[in-house]
Amino acid sequence: MKSLLDFRSAIWSVAFRPFFLASSFHAIFAVLIWILILFSVIPSPFLTGGIQIHSYEMVFGFGRGAIIGFLFTAGQNWTKKVLAKEGYLALLFGLWFLGRFGFLASPYLSYLALTADLYLDLLVLFYLGPPLFAKGQEHNRVVVITYFLLFLLHILTAFSFLNIFPEEWSLHFIHLSLFVILQFVILIGGRIMPFFSSAAIPGSNPKRFLKLESIIRYGGFLFIVIEACTYWLPMIAPFAGLFCLAFGMLNYSRWLFWEPWKSKNVPILWILHFGYFWLCSGFLAYGLSHLGFFPTSSAFHIFTVGGIGVFIYGMITRVSLGHTGRPIKASRSIILGYILINLAVIARVFLPLINKYKEAYLFSSIFWIIAFLIFAIKYSKILISPRTFSNS
């Protein structure tokens, strides 16, 4: 504990260390508390609806926390500059941590937490913006723009919770924020998947087509705009559905050009491919939900548990090894975690289709919690210990 309070210790040297570790613990406790509330084991301690808080925390707690850890770590590689470490990194983390106490029964604590959560976004943009907008970083500016969009939606969500806007709008803004997290997965996946495949698989030749990459990059933003409009203009839902179907097929084609089948013997790589597969499938399912052929809740959970949860799980297991100088190979327990988190997707998405709702909530939560508990146990020491120099 003493080393955690020393800003010169290893955990405060690079952003992925505190944020990946905390995001894993958040994934455990946020889902555990949600399932206990859902099954009426404990009363809800929140000032607003449980589904709004559950959605808010999975987007702005879990998803955003892991994304911040990745962006600051990757940003240092892109710019060859230290973007945040020691006390500055601890400040970012402290604001994220305080933000997790929003909407509790104490209004004053809630306001303080929500303010900290929004201030975190400002500091992220303050630290990331200038270096990623500098000359020579033109291809990285989209990262800052995407995070700025997330910040704007975060403000709108907060205004809805505070009744400045109608409170029922809050879930819509959270869903749009979820789609921004998906856009980050699309952007990050396009950068790391071909590189990781080439590095890990002899003879692998993943392909990137600049035209397809551009269409998918801007298509992701167009998807967010269409979804923003569909809430207030429900008559365009069929068009939104067809767009989702087309966009899903484009992402499938991108994924296939990465040759995912060649990763079958490299678990630390195929987990990322599974995550992207769920993202592609989510667009198809969500398109079908707009057309009335698939449940919206199941479609959302393909996005959240699969496209975001599975991809982030794969990302944090790999990045944590590579950036601490350790061999990039998944242990048996982590491979079990890979299996469990995919089972969580299957349980949460498909059991409701046969009217097994309680079983879906229970089994998916158990699989999810155990998967992240495995990560927390296996990686805690790695993330708080100094870098080794035996990377292979």
Side-chain angles (χ1 to χ4, degrees):
M1 178 60 70
K2 184 178 179 181
S3 65
L4 298 182
L5 301 177
D6 180 1
F7 296 151
R8 294 169 298 177
S9 62
I11 193 168
W12 304 115
S13 61
V14 193
F16 76 88
R17 290 175 176 270
F19 279 104
F20 286 4
L21 184 58
S23 293
S24 68
F25 279 107
H26 180 277
I28 296 167
F29 288 106
V31 170
L32 178 61
I33 292 170
W34 168 239
I35 205 68
L36 291 176
I37 293 171
L38 199 60
F39 280 85
S40 301
V41 177
I42 62 172
S44 174
F46 302 114
L47 290 170
T48 190
I51 186 64
Q52 284 92 338
I53 299 305
H54 171 62
S55 303
Y56 179 90
E57 280 304 309
M58 297 315 292
V59 171
F60 292 106
F62 170 69
R64 185 182 55 151
I67 292 296
I68 290 172
F70 177 86
L71 291 182
F72 274 89
T73 304
Q76 291 187 182
N77 290 338
W78 298 336
T79 62
K80 309 303 180 187
K81 298 178 181 178
V82 176
L83 302 182
K85 70 172 184 176
E86 299 177 350
Y88 297 104
L89 177 55
L91 173 61
L92 291 173
F93 178 78
L95 291 170
W96 176 88
F97 183 77
L98 181 57
R100 309 288 54 81
F101 294 91
F103 316 110
L104 293 174
S106 169
Y108 297 108
L109 177 59
S110 293
Y111 294 146
L112 177 62
L114 187 56
T115 301
D117 226 17
L118 291 169
Y119 189 54
L120 167 62
D121 289 334
L122 278 175
L123 284 184
V124 169
L125 290 167
F126 176 77
Y127 288 133
L128 280 181
L132 295 187
F133 261 82
K135 186 177 180 180
Q137 294 292 325
E138 289 79 7
H139 60 296
N140 288 322
R141 291 174 183 173
V142 65
V143 171
V144 181
I145 293 169
T146 305
Y147 198 95
F148 182 72
L149 179 57
L150 182 65
F151 175 46
L152 289 180
L153 289 168
H154 199 175
I155 293 174
L156 295 175
T157 302
F159 282 2
S160 299
F161 280 133
L162 297 172
N163 291 314
I164 298 173
F165 295 147
E167 187 177 1
E168 59 268 21
W169 289 6
S170 62
L171 197 57
H172 174 55
F173 293 133
I174 294 171
H175 287 163
L176 293 177
S177 303
L178 158 67
F179 298 148
V180 176
I181 299 293
L182 289 175
Q183 177 70 350
F184 271 118
V185 174
I186 289 172
L187 294 173
I188 293 169
R191 296 183 178 210
I192 68 174
M193 295 300 290
F195 171 72
F196 286 173
S197 295
S198 299
I201 305 172
S204 178
N205 185 30
K207 298 176 179 63
R208 291 181 81 251
F209 297 96
L210 294 181
K211 194 81 168 181
L212 178 61
E213 293 297 308
S214 181
I215 291 172
I216 288 177
R217 184 187 310 117
Y218 294 112
F221 290 114
L222 181 56
F223 165 70
I224 295 169
V225 172
I226 292 171
E227 288 304 313
C229 296
T230 303
Y231 182 80
W232 286 287
L233 300 170
M235 71 285 296
I236 70 171
F239 168 75
L242 293 174
F243 179 87
C244 285
L245 293 176
F247 194 55
M249 294 307 297
L250 281 174
N251 276 281
Y252 269 128
S253 65
R254 183 198 207 195
W255 177 65
L256 290 173
F257 284 129
W258 294 338
E259 302 177 335
W261 57 89
K262 291 186 177 179
S263 69
K264 63 182 184 301
N265 295 322
V266 187
I268 207 163
L269 182 57
W270 63 243
I271 184 63
L272 291 166
H273 281 295
F274 263 104
Y276 207 86
F277 166 80
W278 288 121
L279 178 141
C280 302
S281 302
F283 281 111
L284 292 189
Y286 194 57
L288 290 173
S289 74
H290 272 312
L291 299 172
F293 296 116
F294 197 81
T296 302
S297 177
S298 287
F300 268 118
H301 283 88
I302 297 177
F303 278 145
T304 54
V305 187
I308 295 174
V310 173
F311 190 88
I312 284 178
Y313 196 86
M315 179 183 70
I316 63 178
T317 56
R318 190 194 190 283
V319 171
S320 297
L321 294 177
H323 283 269
T324 57
R326 290 165 171 83
I328 304 174
K329 183 177 181 180
S331 65
R332 290 183 179 181
S333 57
I334 289 296
I335 294 172
L336 174 61
Y338 294 162
I339 295 170
L340 288 172
I341 197 168
N342 278 286
L343 287 176
V345 185
I346 293 168
R348 183 58 187 86
V349 171
F350 295 105
L351 285 179
L353 301 183
I354 54 174
N355 295 318
K356 300 292 183 181
Y357 293 95
K358 288 185 176 180
E359 292 85 350
Y361 307 146
L362 181 62
F363 290 135
S364 62
S365 298
I366 290 172
F367 294 145
W368 173 278
I369 289 170
I370 295 175
F372 278 98
L373 185 60
I374 291 171
F375 175 86
I377 292 171
K378 292 289 293 185
Y379 277 75
S380 289
K381 186 176 181 180
I382 292 172
L383 292 169
I384 66 174
S385 300
R387 177 185 173 90
T388 66
F389 295 92
S390 60
N391 194 18
S392 60

